[in-house]
Amino acid sequence: MKPMISLFVTVMLISNIQAQVPIYKDPKQTADSRLKDLLNRMTIEEKAGQLNQLNGGFFTGPALNDPGQKAKMQMVRDGKVGSFLNVIGAKETRAIQEIAVKESRLGIPILFALDVIHGYKTIFPIPLAEACSWDLSIMEKSAGIAAKEASSAGIHWTFAPMCDISNDPRWGRVMEGAGEDPWLGAQIAAARVKGFQGSLNDAEHILSCVKHFAVYGAVEGGKEYNNVDVSRVALWNKYMPPYEAAVKAGAATVMNSFNVFEGVPASGNKYLVTDILKKKWGFGGIVVSDWGSFGEMIAHGYAADEKDAALKAILAGSDMDMEAQVTIKNLAQLVKEGKVSMQAVDDAVSRVLKMKFKLGLFDDPYRFSDEAREKATLFTAANRAEALEAAKRSIVLLKNEKNTLPIAFNGKKVALIGSFADSKDDLLDFWIAQGEAKNTVTLREGLQNRFGNAASISFAPGYGLDGVANEAMIKEAVAMAETADVLLVNVGLSGKMAGEDRALAFPEIPAPQVALLQALKKTGKPIVALVSSGRPLILTAIQPLADAIVQCWILGTETGNAVADVLSGAYNPSGKTVMTFPYAIGQIPVYYNAFNTGRPIPEGTDPGWKSRYRDIPNKPLYPFGYGLSYTSFTYGGLSLDKNTAGKNETIQVSVTVTNSGSVAGEEIVQLYIRDVAASIVRPVKELKNFQKITLKPGESRTVKFILLPKDLSFSDAAGTPVLEPGLFKIMVGGNSRDVLEKELTIK
Ligand code: BGC
């Protein structure tokens, strides 16, 4: 070829290639035009593919030869997968992303999702425990660290935070939530969303997912996957606030719940998904099903078959089908038959694609899958330090008689008793992402780390991990206890009993552990019960047997170190319960923000013919908002800046809190209201604000709250806030039971 001609051909070739770069792949184009261009190019099958989320697994190494994995990879090549869950690690995610980007017709990248619930490699306390810190910045930070770790391992999307309000410790999943209070739950949900997502403009944050929408925490009997039957006023006042706060905080995705609402499964519930979420709240992100929940509409008795399930899900407004594969199999046909409009399909698909554009995956599909970054990011000393901080603040001191705690370990003979205290496996729960038992500090190790040189720490298992009573083990523990100065007894349940599919009919301290404590009590030695559990257990049986009770929950990587710091007083405990601790199983559900009933039992009166049980008290063992410190706090001088106010006025509430003990401590000052008479009955107490303050010994502080009109209103059955004139009680205290009270009249 002559030089001139060859130059001409080259120029032509380059301009041809440029002309061929599709708009959707061109970062210089607007997000909108890129999305439109892509939608225009997609077949209905490819659109259905974007709505299909599959369970992953491994796609490299020996797994490559697995026929199931091969079939999934072929689906990726065919554009039939929009997202995977449970593909883990920079290497794996990259391998599959390459197939999607290089081998599928349009090269649309995959979204990788995982349940990153309380950490990825560095494991933080379970969310229920962390909520007991009432420390929103710690919760935001721990979600941020979880996101940073997960994102370095190729994860774009977590299925958290769980925003389900629950009153039922039988439900294993209370560990994933923030407890029983809608107001606190809303603050925590928003903090967690912010932590996971940041502003979603870097590769260090991930999409969050508000779940389980809606009302999954109200499952009957606390049984997993069970039914729910709640009224609309309960929906709006009790259950919606955390979901709504999370959506308002910018949550990118929402998950359908497994349950029905008003007889219609959430995945096919147009009222929940379209009317409330997408229209009323203007949610523009992805609605993903829960695992198989589109298909489960058949078992519920709401869909006739898979095709009907797919139809009902998309007509309700649900977008992505996790694992049921009813959408991928039926959507094209449903469109062909005119049962589903292309507009509805495009709306759902756009929501998925928008997130992929937002995360920058069309421009750099591998920006989250970087093995070097993964190595440098996971389980760092800095992350562990934050996990320790969160763990210390999550612990709740429930009882501390005769100042049993803190313990001056120097020169002491300490008997540590209880199999869990020496078992790494039992420290971790169901939702640990890539957390590893070997990285987790047991109680025994924590005590040894902190006081091994100063104190003599002996250990006896006391009970078997199988939960069976064992006389020999009890004898061994008692013999050791006889020579000790103080007994630390780790009781409760294995972490493995916390999480999904862990409903319990008996959420209590197992009988062999009670027997152990009874035997130890006879030694006359001071007993500290360290309770491990992912839920409030019934502690009534051990209450008289232990001098001190420390609710340790499931604390993650730094468990042992955190508990040791609290036992020694290196950290003065400040956590407060976010779920009521029932007195007995038969009391469940028991919660602080209940209605008064027509027959309450006024303090100090004969309870005859009132709302009660014959065999147990009405009061729980420990109320909501409760937790002790090594110091004490006194409350006084509660005042309002006005006793009568108009509907639009704000009210200033002041109270003086004094540290009346001898060490510095943190106190969670809680503000409650009661709307005394209203068009629908309102709870006896509703939390409306709190402040966490630190006071030196002898120090007093006047804590001020501003009550806003919205704090005094409730929602009607349509979800509209109403503020009705009349009498209100304004209460402040260190827990939901012991409060000071003033009256306020709204004109
Ligand atoms: C759970 C969800 C979880 C999903 C994916 C379901 O069984 O209910 O909370 O996000 O599985 O693992």
Side-chain angles (χ1 to χ4, degrees):
M1 231 190 294
K2 294 221 176 86
M4 269 310 282
I5 296 176
S6 112
L7 181 66
F8 175 75
V9 170
T10 314
V11 169
M12 284 305 287
L13 270 176
I14 289 173
S15 54
N16 255 344
I17 290 167
Q18 274 171 351
Q20 275 166 10
V21 171
I23 292 174
Y24 76 95
K25 285 195 173 166
D26 181 355
K28 292 193 289 295
Q29 305 288 334
T30 66
D32 245 18
S33 54
R34 295 178 78 181
L35 176 65
K36 259 192 209 130
D37 177 59
L38 182 53
L39 271 180
N40 283 339
R41 292 168 189 267
M42 292 171 80
T43 64
I44 179 63
E45 287 77 14
E46 283 163 337
K47 288 178 182 176
Q50 288 306 303
L51 303 178
N52 190 30
Q53 183 180 59
L54 290 186
N55 184 34
F58 291 98
F59 293 87
T60 61
L64 259 176
N65 301 319
D66 180 280
Q69 297 306 75
K70 272 191 177 162
K72 282 179 195 168
M73 275 187 280
Q74 193 51 47
M75 286 179 77
V76 173
R77 285 187 189 95
D78 295 343
K80 289 186 172 162
V81 186
S83 172
F84 274 106
L85 74 153
N86 299 337
V87 179
I88 288 160
K91 184 173 170 199
E92 291 293 327
T93 50
R94 186 176 177 111
I96 192 161
Q97 195 69 298
E98 283 190 3
I99 298 173
V101 170
K102 294 181 182 161
E103 299 180 42
S104 74
R105 191 178 76 88
L106 293 166
I108 303 174
I110 299 276
L111 266 185
F112 293 105
L114 183 73
D115 292 277
V116 181
I117 307 294
H118 55 114
Y120 178 76
K121 187 67 115 183
T122 309
I123 302 302
F124 285 77
I126 55 168
L128 181 69
E130 221 181 41
C132 293
S133 73
W134 297 52
D135 188 326
L136 300 174
S137 66
I138 280 248
M139 289 181 250
E140 186 173 334
K141 212 185 259 180
S142 80
I145 290 169
K148 194 170 176 182
E149 289 197 348
S151 62
S152 78
I155 305 301
H156 307 127
W157 181 9
T158 177
F159 298 129
M162 188 185 95
C163 301
D164 302 325
I165 294 295
S166 177
N167 298 140
D168 203 328
R170 290 172 296 183
W171 193 42
R173 306 200 72 172
V174 296
M175 56 88 57
E176 258 184 272
E180 73 190 34
D181 184 66
W183 185 90
L184 184 61
Q187 318 302 311
I188 291 174
R192 290 191 165 136
V193 166
K194 285 184 207 147
F196 283 126
Q197 294 195 169
S199 41
L200 279 181
N201 59 358
D202 55 27
E204 298 197 340
H205 289 87
I206 56 181
L207 309 176
S208 68
C209 183
V210 179
K211 71 187 190 184
H212 305 85
F213 193 71
V215 229
Y216 192 38
V219 278
E220 288 172 355
K223 194 162 66 172
E224 195 79 79
Y225 318 123
N226 207 5
N227 296 308
V228 162
D229 196 1
V230 302
S231 66
R232 288 203 185 198
V233 289
L235 172 78
W236 285 108
N237 287 290
K238 181 165 176 164
Y239 296 99
M240 280 308 198
Y243 305 122
E244 184 173 4
V247 168
K248 297 268 146 79
T253 77
V254 172
M255 185 184 288
N256 300 128
S257 54
F258 285 123
N259 55 279
V260 297
F261 177 72
E262 295 181 329
V264 178
S267 303
N269 198 309
K270 183 176 162 295
Y271 174 62
L272 292 179
V273 181
T274 296
D275 300 351
I276 299 175
L277 183 60
K278 290 188 170 175
K279 290 199 175 144
K280 192 177 165 103
W281 296 347
F283 174 69
I286 305 167
V287 180
V288 62
S289 79
D290 202 345
W291 183 291
S293 68
F294 285 4
E296 288 178 12
M297 288 196 281
I298 303 167
H300 272 295
Y302 185 68
D305 51 29
E306 290 196 345
K307 190 171 164 194
D308 194 28
L311 175 67
K312 288 186 163 141
I314 192 141
L315 291 186
S318 298
D319 303 314
M320 187 180 270
D321 176 352
M322 183 198 293
E323 262 299 286
Q325 295 202 47
V326 299
T327 306
I328 189 78
K329 288 184 196 153
N330 297 290
L331 191 63
Q333 187 59 26
L334 288 166
V335 169
K336 206 178 280 169
E337 291 170 13
K339 292 187 173 134
V340 173
S341 69
M342 194 56 94
Q343 197 191 346
V345 174
D346 284 353
D347 174 69
V349 175
S350 300
R351 288 165 182 268
V352 176
L353 296 175
K354 261 187 213 160
M355 289 306 164
K356 296 184 177 183
F357 278 114
K358 193 168 185 135
L359 292 174
L361 299 180
F362 279 95
D363 307 325
D364 178 2
Y366 315 114
R367 66 196 290 248
F368 288 69
S369 306
D370 173 342
E371 285 183 65
R373 173 157 85 97
E374 182 180 30
K375 229 182 181 167
T377 307
L378 300 186
F379 207 63
T380 60
N383 293 356
R384 290 188 62 174
E386 291 295 347
L388 174 61
E389 205 49 45
K392 289 190 293 197
R393 287 164 179 273
S394 302
I395 292 168
V396 184
L397 179 62
L398 293 174
K399 178 178 176 182
N400 192 20
E401 257 166 32
K402 295 178 266 167
N403 293 326
T404 306
L405 292 174
I407 298 166
F409 278 88
N410 260 0
K412 284 265 161 66
K413 283 181 96 178
V414 178
L416 176 65
I417 299 164
S419 292
F420 293 146
D422 193 35
S423 166
K424 287 181 179 278
D425 265 356
D426 291 284
L427 285 175
L428 296 177
D429 58 281
F430 179 67
W431 293 123
I432 48 162
Q434 287 295 284
E436 289 178 87
K438 74 169 169 49
N439 285 340
T440 309
V441 181
T442 64
L443 274 176
R444 191 177 184 182
E445 289 168 338
L447 290 171
Q448 204 59 43
N449 290 345
R450 295 291 201 260
F451 315 111
N453 296 330
S456 130
I457 299 160
S458 52
F459 173 79
Y463 54 82
L465 289 171
D466 52 7
V468 178
N470 182 324
E471 278 305 314
M473 278 180 159
I474 294 184
K475 265 198 181 146
E476 180 199 6
V478 169
M480 200 179 82
E482 300 283 6
T483 64
D485 299 315
V486 61
L487 318 183
L488 304 179
V489 191
N490 190 192
V491 292
L493 301 179
S494 164
K496 291 178 196 149
M497 292 313 287
E500 185 172 352
D501 189 25
R502 268 73 175 168
L504 287 176
F506 295 99
E508 57 189 7
I509 300 290
Q513 298 178 8
V514 178
L516 169 69
L517 279 168
Q518 281 164 340
L520 292 172
K521 178 81 180 162
K522 292 192 189 126
T523 65
K525 301 295 166 97
I527 297 180
V528 180
L530 304 168
V531 183
S532 302
S533 65
R535 63 185 98 209
L537 295 176
I538 317 289
L539 302 180
T540 311
I542 68 159
Q543 166 79 8
L545 302 174
D547 301 284
I549 302 181
V550 184
Q551 179 62 37
C552 300
W553 305 111
I554 306 292
L555 292 174
T557 300
E558 290 293 325
T559 300
N561 294 334
V563 175
D565 284 348
V566 163
L567 293 177
S568 69
Y571 180 76
N572 184 358
S574 64
K576 303 249 189 188
T577 55
V578 293
M579 260 186 105
T580 301
F581 277 61
Y583 181 90
I585 291 169
Q587 225 180 24
I588 298 171
V590 57
Y591 48 98
Y592 89 94
N593 48 356
F595 299 139
N596 204 31
T597 80
R599 292 194 181 193
I601 305 177
E603 208 64 56
T605 59
D606 171 4
W609 306 103
K610 300 281 196 240
S611 180
R612 62 159 169 169
Y613 297 101
R614 288 285 179 142
D615 51 352
I616 54 165
N618 273 1
K619 289 203 169 122
L621 191 64
Y622 300 112
F624 173 86
Y626 177 84
L628 303 172
S629 161
Y630 295 150
T631 191
S632 53
F633 298 98
T634 50
Y635 283 71
L638 175 64
S639 67
L640 311 182
D641 67 344
K642 42 181 108 58
N643 299 323
T644 305
K647 270 184 166 187
N648 299 321
E649 287 183 68
T650 58
I651 296 106
Q652 183 175 290
V653 182
S654 313
V655 70
T656 302
V657 185
T658 304
N659 180 343
S660 42
S662 54
V663 289
E666 291 162 275
E667 171 69 333
I668 299 166
V669 184
Q670 302 157 41
L671 172 72
Y672 296 89
I673 67 140
R674 177 174 179 189
D675 186 345
V676 177
S679 54
I680 53 170
V681 297
R682 305 300 306 136
V684 290
K685 277 183 191 120
E686 295 178 74
L687 182 75
K688 289 297 169 185
N689 214 334
F690 75 89
Q691 282 181 41
K692 194 166 183 179
I693 57 168
T694 305
L695 294 177
K696 294 194 219 73
E699 188 184 350
S700 283
R701 185 164 322 152
T702 301
V703 176
K704 290 188 163 65
F705 295 102
I706 300 293
L707 259 179
L708 301 172
K710 75 170 164 50
D711 297 325
L712 298 173
S713 42
F714 57 86
S715 290
D716 65 14
T720 309
V722 198
L723 172 51
E724 293 179 346
L727 185 65
F728 287 79
K729 288 185 175 169
I730 310 300
M731 295 159 276
V732 178
N735 64 65
S736 64
R737 183 189 60 201
D738 308 311
V739 291
L740 303 173
E741 186 180 305
K742 285 275 173 205
E743 290 190 346
L744 168 72
T745 302
I746 297 293
K747 286 182 295 187

